[in-house]
Amino acid sequence: MSQPTLPLYPKLSSIYNKIMQLAIAIAMIIVVLNVLVFSQQKSEEIIDAHFMDLGQQYALQTAKALTVLMPFNKSGLQQYVEKSLPSELITSVHFYDVTGRLLYSSEGAKTIKQLYGLKGEDNFSEEYVPFVEEVRAENLQGYVRVTLKKSLLTKNLHQAEQESAERQRILMVIAGIIGFFLTRGLSRFSRQGFRIPK
């Protein structure tokens, strides 16, 4: 009775296994790196969306305050815009009538042309972001533009995201080292288990 022939020589089979394992490891590394990059981009998008939501809420609150003040006291309205609102976060407030003509603005406020560098100055639109909201009671009374300093709202979130990404990279390195030692340790057991006695 003839002995069935093996499809591959044992040494050749071992080489193919090693090449296959190496290819799988490289593919998994690429997948993990892609996941890390996409998760970081997603975090950036979430932080930007959070800032935009907060900015719109600030503009909406300001518009509501102006709606309450407008029927009673025009000088109080002007004082509210010019003196009360600007802070480290809210850098400027502008109030326009229904035609878009500027009525009041806070002290030291930059125009849109200045923010976007259209007057030969630096472009500040990345750092100072404007939000516009309608001022409306029964009908449209005008528009309010609130400019926020973006870094004050996003700095801590970006720092936390960077620390989280750093921890993930450290854990990946540790996982790689653990995998290496496990492979080395288990390969000795497998070699001893399949030894054929002479």
Side-chain angles (χ1 to χ4, degrees):
M1 192 167 176
S2 62
Q3 205 172 7
T5 58
L6 294 173
L8 289 173
Y9 191 70
K11 287 187 178 178
L12 203 58
S13 167
S14 175
I15 291 171
Y16 285 148
N17 284 338
K18 287 180 181 177
I19 291 172
M20 185 177 66
Q21 289 169 0
L22 184 61
I24 291 171
I26 291 171
M28 290 180 70
I29 289 171
I30 292 171
V31 168
V32 168
L33 290 176
N34 280 335
V35 168
L36 284 176
V37 169
F38 287 135
S39 66
Q40 190 169 2
Q41 289 177 350
K42 186 66 176 176
S43 297
E44 295 287 335
E45 291 172 3
I46 290 171
I47 290 171
D48 287 340
H50 177 66
F51 169 73
M52 297 301 288
D53 288 341
L54 282 177
Q56 209 59 49
Q57 288 300 318
Y58 274 107
L60 185 60
Q61 288 175 3
T62 306
K64 287 181 177 178
L66 293 175
T67 302
V68 172
L69 285 172
M70 187 171 292
F72 302 105
N73 191 346
K74 295 288 184 185
S75 62
L77 175 69
Q78 181 178 358
Q79 187 176 2
Y80 181 73
V81 172
E82 291 180 351
K83 304 284 186 185
S84 302
L85 287 173
S87 62
E88 287 187 2
L89 175 61
I90 302 175
T91 58
S92 65
V93 179
H94 295 76
F95 180 66
Y96 304 88
D97 65 9
V98 292
T99 64
R101 182 172 60 92
L102 180 64
L103 297 179
Y104 312 118
S105 64
S106 56
E107 293 178 352
K110 291 183 180 294
T111 64
I112 287 291
K113 289 183 178 180
Q114 290 173 324
L115 280 179
Y116 286 90
L118 300 177
K119 284 194 171 182
E121 301 179 9
D122 294 332
N123 187 351
F124 298 103
S125 60
E126 290 286 329
E127 177 66 12
Y128 300 99
V129 182
F131 296 89
V132 178
E133 191 67 39
E134 291 181 348
V135 179
R136 183 182 291 274
E138 293 180 357
N139 53 8
L140 183 63
Q141 302 292 320
Y143 304 91
V144 63
R145 174 165 65 88
V146 180
T147 304
L148 302 183
K149 190 172 182 181
K150 187 175 182 179
S151 62
L152 288 180
L153 282 174
T154 60
K155 183 179 178 181
N156 291 336
L157 295 175
H158 281 299
Q159 186 176 356
E161 191 272 331
Q162 288 174 357
E163 289 174 357
S164 175
E166 187 68 29
R167 284 194 295 270
Q168 287 177 354
R169 286 191 288 269
I170 291 171
L171 288 174
M172 279 181 57
V173 171
I174 292 172
I177 294 171
I178 291 171
F180 173 76
F181 283 120
L182 282 174
T183 304
R184 296 282 294 174
L186 292 174
S187 66
R188 290 176 185 170
F189 289 115
S190 63
R191 282 200 302 269
Q192 289 173 359
F194 289 103
R195 250 181 215 164
I196 301 171
K198 292 181 180 180

